[in-house]
Amino acid sequence: PSPLSRATDFLWKEYEERAFYWEPLDLVRKLTLTGFVLINTQGSKQLRVIIALLVSMLFLTLQYVLSPYKRTLDGRLAMFAHIGLVLVYLATLTINSCSLLETDTQTCGDEFGLSQLGLSYMFLSFSTALLGVGLLLVAWLVYTAASRVPTLRLVANAMEPVLTLRPQHEWHVHVSHIWSSGQDQAANIKRNLQLMLPGCLVFLDVDDLRDATRLEDYVDQSAALLLFLSRGFFKSRNCLREVRRAAATSKPLILVHEENLNKGGLPLEASVQECPVELRGYVF
Protein backbone atom coordinates (compact mmCIF):
# COMPACT_ATOMS: atom_id res chain seq x y z
CA PRO A 1 0.00 0.00 0.00
CA SER A 2 1.05 3.56 -0.69
CA PRO A 3 1.25 6.26 2.02
CA LEU A 4 -2.01 7.67 0.64
CA SER A 5 -3.84 4.33 0.87
CA ARG A 6 -2.61 3.79 4.42
CA ALA A 7 -3.72 7.30 5.40
CA THR A 8 -7.21 6.65 4.00
CA ASP A 9 -7.62 3.07 5.20
CA PHE A 10 -10.59 4.17 7.35
CA LEU A 11 -12.51 4.45 4.06
CA TRP A 12 -11.97 0.88 2.88
CA LYS A 13 -10.55 -1.43 5.54
CA GLU A 14 -14.01 -2.55 6.76
CA TYR A 15 -15.03 -3.71 3.27
CA GLU A 16 -14.18 -6.61 1.02
CA GLU A 17 -11.47 -5.86 -1.53
CA ARG A 18 -13.97 -6.19 -4.39
CA ALA A 19 -16.17 -3.51 -2.72
CA PHE A 20 -13.49 -1.01 -1.67
CA TYR A 21 -15.59 1.79 -3.19
CA TRP A 22 -18.59 1.21 -0.90
CA GLU A 23 -17.88 4.02 1.60
CA PRO A 24 -17.89 6.84 -1.02
CA LEU A 25 -20.95 5.26 -2.62
CA ASP A 26 -22.73 5.18 0.74
CA LEU A 27 -21.80 8.83 1.30
CA VAL A 28 -23.51 9.66 -2.01
CA ARG A 29 -26.62 7.86 -0.70
CA LYS A 30 -26.61 9.88 2.51
CA LEU A 31 -26.12 13.16 0.65
CA THR A 32 -28.96 12.25 -1.70
CA LEU A 33 -31.35 11.51 1.16
CA THR A 34 -30.44 14.61 3.16
CA GLY A 35 -29.66 17.20 0.48
CA PHE A 36 -29.83 16.33 -3.20
CA VAL A 37 -33.45 15.16 -2.89
CA LEU A 38 -34.47 18.78 -2.14
CA ILE A 39 -33.15 20.10 -5.48
CA ASN A 40 -36.02 21.03 -7.82
CA THR A 41 -38.60 19.25 -5.62
CA GLN A 42 -39.66 22.12 -3.35
CA GLY A 43 -43.19 22.00 -4.73
CA SER A 44 -43.82 18.32 -4.14
CA LYS A 45 -43.33 16.59 -0.82
CA GLN A 46 -44.51 13.33 -2.36
CA LEU A 47 -41.83 13.45 -5.06
CA ARG A 48 -39.10 13.87 -2.46
CA VAL A 49 -40.39 10.88 -0.51
CA ILE A 50 -40.64 8.75 -3.66
CA ILE A 51 -37.05 9.59 -4.66
CA ALA A 52 -35.81 8.81 -1.15
CA LEU A 53 -37.77 5.54 -1.16
CA LEU A 54 -36.33 4.47 -4.52
CA VAL A 55 -32.77 5.31 -3.42
CA SER A 56 -33.20 3.35 -0.18
CA MET A 57 -34.61 0.34 -2.05
CA LEU A 58 -31.74 0.50 -4.54
CA PHE A 59 -29.12 0.45 -1.78
CA LEU A 60 -30.99 -2.28 0.08
CA THR A 61 -30.72 -4.41 -3.06
CA LEU A 62 -27.05 -3.53 -3.58
CA GLN A 63 -26.29 -4.36 0.05
CA TYR A 64 -27.90 -7.78 -0.37
CA VAL A 65 -26.23 -8.56 -3.71
CA LEU A 66 -22.72 -7.22 -3.06
CA SER A 67 -22.34 -8.01 0.68
CA PRO A 68 -19.55 -5.41 0.89
CA TYR A 69 -18.67 -5.77 4.59
CA LYS A 70 -15.96 -8.13 5.81
CA ARG A 71 -17.76 -8.80 9.08
CA THR A 72 -21.11 -10.55 8.88
CA LEU A 73 -22.42 -8.55 11.84
CA ASP A 74 -21.72 -5.23 10.10
CA GLY A 75 -23.56 -6.45 7.02
CA ARG A 76 -26.61 -7.52 9.04
CA LEU A 77 -26.77 -4.17 10.85
CA ALA A 78 -26.56 -2.31 7.54
CA MET A 79 -29.39 -4.44 6.11
CA PHE A 80 -31.68 -3.62 9.03
CA ALA A 81 -30.82 0.07 8.71
CA HIS A 82 -31.81 0.03 5.02
CA ILE A 83 -35.03 -1.89 5.76
CA GLY A 84 -35.89 0.59 8.49
CA LEU A 85 -35.44 3.53 6.11
CA VAL A 86 -37.64 1.86 3.49
CA LEU A 87 -40.38 1.39 6.11
CA VAL A 88 -40.12 5.01 7.23
CA TYR A 89 -40.46 6.31 3.68
CA LEU A 90 -43.34 3.93 2.94
CA ALA A 91 -45.12 5.15 6.06
CA THR A 92 -44.49 8.79 5.10
CA LEU A 93 -45.75 8.21 1.56
CA THR A 94 -48.91 6.46 2.80
CA ILE A 95 -49.71 9.08 5.45
CA ASN A 96 -49.10 11.95 3.01
CA SER A 97 -51.36 10.26 0.46
CA CYS A 98 -53.99 9.91 3.17
CA SER A 99 -53.79 13.63 3.91
CA LEU A 100 -54.20 14.52 0.23
CA LEU A 101 -57.28 12.28 -0.12
CA GLU A 102 -59.15 13.74 2.82
CA THR A 103 -61.98 16.13 1.87
CA ASP A 104 -65.26 17.18 3.42
CA THR A 105 -66.95 14.10 1.98
CA GLN A 106 -64.08 11.60 1.93
CA THR A 107 -61.82 10.48 4.74
CA CYS A 108 -58.66 8.46 4.93
CA GLY A 109 -60.59 5.57 6.38
CA ASP A 110 -62.73 5.31 3.23
CA GLU A 111 -59.63 4.47 1.14
CA PHE A 112 -57.32 2.69 3.61
CA GLY A 113 -59.72 1.35 6.19
CA LEU A 114 -57.81 3.22 8.91
CA SER A 115 -57.61 6.81 9.99
CA GLN A 116 -54.41 8.79 9.56
CA LEU A 117 -53.63 8.20 13.23
CA GLY A 118 -54.40 4.49 12.84
CA LEU A 119 -52.00 4.19 9.90
CA SER A 120 -49.31 5.92 11.95
CA TYR A 121 -49.82 3.46 14.80
CA MET A 122 -49.74 0.50 12.40
CA PHE A 123 -46.40 1.52 10.84
CA LEU A 124 -44.97 2.41 14.23
CA SER A 125 -45.94 -0.98 15.68
CA PHE A 126 -44.56 -2.87 12.70
CA SER A 127 -41.31 -0.89 12.71
CA THR A 128 -40.87 -1.44 16.44
CA ALA A 129 -41.46 -5.17 16.03
CA LEU A 130 -38.95 -5.32 13.17
CA LEU A 131 -36.41 -3.41 15.26
CA GLY A 132 -36.93 -5.85 18.12
CA VAL A 133 -36.42 -8.84 15.83
CA GLY A 134 -33.31 -7.18 14.39
CA LEU A 135 -31.84 -6.57 17.84
CA LEU A 136 -32.53 -10.17 18.84
CA LEU A 137 -30.86 -11.41 15.66
CA VAL A 138 -27.82 -9.21 16.26
CA ALA A 139 -27.61 -10.43 19.86
CA TRP A 140 -27.81 -14.03 18.61
CA LEU A 141 -25.03 -13.40 16.06
CA VAL A 142 -22.81 -11.85 18.73
CA TYR A 143 -23.52 -14.75 21.10
CA THR A 144 -22.81 -17.46 18.52
CA ALA A 145 -19.61 -15.69 17.45
CA ALA A 146 -18.45 -15.46 21.06
CA SER A 147 -19.32 -19.10 21.80
CA ARG A 148 -17.14 -20.43 19.00
CA VAL A 149 -13.49 -21.32 19.48
CA PRO A 150 -11.92 -18.35 21.32
CA THR A 151 -10.34 -15.88 18.93
CA LEU A 152 -7.85 -13.07 19.34
CA ARG A 153 -9.62 -9.73 19.61
CA LEU A 154 -8.64 -6.09 19.70
CA VAL A 155 -8.66 -4.40 23.09
CA ALA A 156 -10.13 -1.22 21.57
CA ASN A 157 -13.42 -2.73 20.36
CA ALA A 158 -13.39 -6.44 21.34
CA MET A 159 -13.68 -7.33 17.64
CA GLU A 160 -11.57 -9.72 15.62
CA PRO A 161 -8.85 -7.79 13.75
CA VAL A 162 -9.27 -7.25 10.03
CA LEU A 163 -6.27 -8.93 8.40
CA THR A 164 -4.87 -7.31 5.28
CA LEU A 165 -2.14 -8.26 2.83
CA ARG A 166 0.00 -6.21 0.50
CA PRO A 167 -0.40 -7.04 -3.21
CA GLN A 168 2.97 -8.86 -3.31
CA HIS A 169 2.07 -11.13 -0.40
CA GLU A 170 0.08 -14.36 -0.50
CA TRP A 171 0.42 -15.39 3.16
CA HIS A 172 0.38 -13.50 6.44
CA VAL A 173 3.07 -15.67 7.99
CA HIS A 174 5.58 -18.26 6.77
CA VAL A 175 6.32 -21.01 9.33
CA SER A 176 9.95 -22.11 9.14
CA HIS A 177 10.85 -25.33 10.98
CA ILE A 178 12.99 -28.42 10.82
CA TRP A 179 11.12 -31.65 10.20
CA SER A 180 13.16 -33.84 12.54
CA SER A 181 12.22 -31.92 15.73
CA GLY A 182 9.47 -29.46 14.87
CA GLN A 183 7.08 -30.84 12.26
CA ASP A 184 4.18 -31.65 14.61
CA GLN A 185 4.55 -28.39 16.54
CA ALA A 186 4.61 -26.35 13.32
CA ALA A 187 1.38 -28.01 12.16
CA ASN A 188 -0.21 -27.15 15.52
CA ILE A 189 0.94 -23.55 15.20
CA LYS A 190 -0.69 -23.25 11.78
CA ARG A 191 -3.93 -24.85 12.93
CA ASN A 192 -4.23 -22.66 16.03
CA LEU A 193 -3.37 -19.46 14.15
CA GLN A 194 -6.16 -20.18 11.68
CA LEU A 195 -8.60 -20.95 14.52
CA MET A 196 -7.73 -17.94 16.67
CA LEU A 197 -7.21 -15.50 13.78
CA PRO A 198 -9.96 -16.24 11.23
CA GLY A 199 -8.74 -15.34 7.77
CA CYS A 200 -5.05 -15.75 8.64
CA LEU A 201 -3.14 -17.31 5.74
CA VAL A 202 -0.24 -19.45 6.95
CA PHE A 203 2.46 -21.00 4.75
CA LEU A 204 3.58 -24.44 5.86
CA ASP A 205 5.82 -26.47 3.59
CA VAL A 206 3.92 -29.76 3.90
CA ASP A 207 0.76 -27.98 2.71
CA ASP A 208 1.95 -25.23 0.40
CA LEU A 209 5.44 -26.01 -0.92
CA ARG A 210 5.35 -26.86 -4.61
CA ASP A 211 8.95 -26.28 -5.63
CA ALA A 212 11.84 -26.41 -3.13
CA THR A 213 14.07 -24.43 -5.49
CA ARG A 214 11.73 -21.45 -5.05
CA LEU A 215 11.93 -21.42 -1.25
CA GLU A 216 13.13 -17.80 -1.22
CA ASP A 217 10.13 -16.79 -3.33
CA TYR A 218 7.76 -18.24 -0.74
CA VAL A 219 9.48 -16.15 1.94
CA ASP A 220 9.10 -13.04 -0.25
CA GLN A 221 5.39 -13.78 -0.67
CA SER A 222 4.82 -13.86 3.12
CA ALA A 223 4.34 -10.78 5.30
CA ALA A 224 6.31 -12.23 8.24
CA LEU A 225 8.54 -15.21 9.00
CA LEU A 226 7.92 -17.38 12.06
CA LEU A 227 10.95 -19.37 13.23
CA PHE A 228 10.20 -22.45 15.29
CA LEU A 229 13.45 -22.87 17.21
CA SER A 230 13.92 -26.56 17.97
CA ARG A 231 16.99 -28.79 18.02
CA GLY A 232 18.96 -28.58 14.79
CA PHE A 233 16.99 -25.68 13.28
CA PHE A 234 20.05 -23.67 12.32
CA LYS A 235 21.77 -26.80 10.98
CA SER A 236 19.07 -27.21 8.33
CA ARG A 237 20.11 -25.93 4.91
CA ASN A 238 16.57 -24.98 3.94
CA CYS A 239 15.87 -23.23 7.24
CA LEU A 240 19.02 -21.16 6.78
CA ARG A 241 17.92 -20.29 3.23
CA GLU A 242 14.65 -18.94 4.61
CA VAL A 243 16.33 -16.98 7.40
CA ARG A 244 18.97 -15.47 5.10
CA ARG A 245 16.32 -14.42 2.60
CA ALA A 246 14.27 -12.81 5.37
CA ALA A 247 17.37 -11.02 6.66
CA ALA A 248 18.19 -9.73 3.18
CA THR A 249 14.71 -8.21 2.86
CA SER A 250 14.39 -7.12 6.54
CA LYS A 251 11.29 -9.25 6.97
CA PRO A 252 9.60 -9.12 10.41
CA LEU A 253 10.42 -12.17 12.53
CA ILE A 254 8.34 -14.12 15.06
CA LEU A 255 10.35 -16.46 17.30
CA VAL A 256 8.76 -19.52 18.92
CA HIS A 257 11.11 -21.50 21.14
CA GLU A 258 10.65 -25.18 22.00
CA GLU A 259 12.16 -25.71 25.44
CA ASN A 260 10.84 -29.21 26.14
CA LEU A 261 13.84 -31.50 25.60
CA ASN A 262 11.55 -34.50 25.17
CA LYS A 263 9.87 -32.84 22.18
CA GLY A 264 12.95 -31.78 20.27
CA GLY A 265 13.62 -28.68 22.30
CA LEU A 266 16.85 -27.13 23.50
CA PRO A 267 17.87 -24.27 25.80
CA LEU A 268 17.59 -20.85 24.20
CA GLU A 269 21.30 -20.23 24.78
CA ALA A 270 22.08 -23.37 22.79
CA SER A 271 19.88 -22.13 19.95
CA VAL A 272 21.78 -18.84 19.94
CA GLN A 273 25.09 -20.68 19.74
CA GLU A 274 23.70 -22.87 16.96
CA CYS A 275 22.78 -19.79 14.90
CA PRO A 276 25.45 -18.55 12.45
CA VAL A 277 27.27 -15.53 13.82
CA GLU A 278 26.28 -13.26 10.94
CA LEU A 279 22.55 -13.95 11.56
CA ARG A 280 22.47 -13.58 15.35
CA GLY A 281 21.95 -9.83 15.31
CA TYR A 282 18.94 -10.19 13.01
CA VAL A 283 17.37 -13.24 14.66
CA PHE A 284 17.98 -12.50 18.33
Side-chain angles (χ1 to χ4, degrees):
S2 65
L4 177 61
S5 66
R6 285 194 294 270
T8 59
D9 66 350
F10 64 93
L11 291 174
W12 51 263
K13 67 180 180 180
E14 301 296 332
Y15 306 106
E16 298 285 357
E17 187 174 343
R18 54 182 167 73
F20 68 93
Y21 52 81
W22 186 259
E23 184 70 20
L25 193 63
D26 197 45
L27 288 175
V28 171
R29 175 188 69 86
K30 294 173 183 176
L31 287 172
T32 300
L33 296 180
T34 58
F36 296 158
V37 74
L38 299 175
I39 299 175
N40 295 327
T41 60
Q42 288 81 356
S44 175
K45 291 188 290 186
Q46 290 291 76
L47 179 58
R48 291 199 293 270
V49 176
I50 290 172
I51 293 174
L53 176 61
L54 292 176
V55 170
S56 297
M57 293 177 66
L58 172 63
F59 273 83
L60 174 61
T61 304
L62 290 176
Q63 172 72 37
Y64 177 77
V65 173
L66 297 178
S67 298
Y69 290 93
K70 289 182 177 179
R71 294 192 178 98
T72 303
L73 182 59
D74 292 341
R76 295 291 185 272
L77 288 173
M79 284 289 291
F80 276 106
H82 289 307
I83 292 172
L85 281 176
V86 168
L87 286 175
V88 167
Y89 292 128
L90 279 174
T92 304
L93 187 64
T94 304
I95 293 170
N96 283 348
S97 299
C98 188
S99 299
L100 293 173
L101 289 172
E102 285 195 343
T103 63
D104 293 336
T105 59
Q106 187 179 26
T107 65
C108 184
D110 296 334
E111 293 293 329
F112 294 98
L114 290 172
S115 66
Q116 190 170 347
L117 184 60
L119 285 172
S120 301
Y121 281 142
M122 182 187 72
F123 276 108
L124 180 61
S125 300
F126 186 77
S127 300
T128 302
L130 181 66
L131 179 60
V133 171
L135 290 175
L136 288 175
L137 178 60
V138 169
W140 178 77
L141 288 172
V142 172
Y143 172 77
T144 53
S147 62
R148 295 178 316 190
V149 176
T151 56
L152 296 177
R153 295 173 180 267
L154 299 173
V155 174
N157 55 16
M159 300 293 288
E160 295 171 355
V162 177
L163 303 179
T164 58
L165 277 176
R166 293 184 177 182
Q168 69 269 29
H169 292 152
E170 189 172 343
W171 296 278
H172 292 101
V173 62
H174 179 118
V175 178
S176 178
H177 68 288
I178 183 171
W179 282 28
S180 60
S181 59
Q183 186 174 6
D184 291 341
Q185 298 95 315
N188 284 332
I189 288 173
K190 176 176 181 176
R191 181 168 58 252
N192 282 285
L193 276 175
Q194 292 177 326
L195 286 173
M196 299 188 72
L197 274 177
C200 182
L201 301 175
V202 182
F203 176 93
L204 187 65
D205 53 6
V206 294
D207 298 328
D208 305 295
L209 184 66
R210 299 292 177 266
D211 184 355
T213 63
R214 296 182 55 246
L215 199 55
E216 289 79 5
D217 293 338
Y218 291 115
V219 174
D220 290 342
Q221 293 167 10
S222 302
L225 182 66
L226 185 151
L227 306 184
F228 184 75
L229 303 179
S230 58
R231 186 170 55 248
F233 177 85
F234 289 108
K235 295 179 180 179
S236 166
R237 176 175 172 271
N238 285 338
C239 290
L240 286 177
R241 284 174 61 191
E242 293 171 332
V243 176
R244 287 195 167 100
R245 183 59 183 178
T249 57
S250 299
K251 187 145 325 259
L253 283 186
I254 303 168
L255 300 185
V256 179
H257 172 232
E258 175 61 82
E259 63 179 3
N260 190 332
L261 300 181
N262 295 323
K263 295 185 177 180
L266 76 170
L268 184 60
E269 295 77 10
S271 186
V272 173
Q273 293 301 317
E274 192 179 83
C275 178
V277 176
E278 69 275 12
L279 292 174
R280 290 179 188 174
Y282 169 66
V283 175
F284 298 102

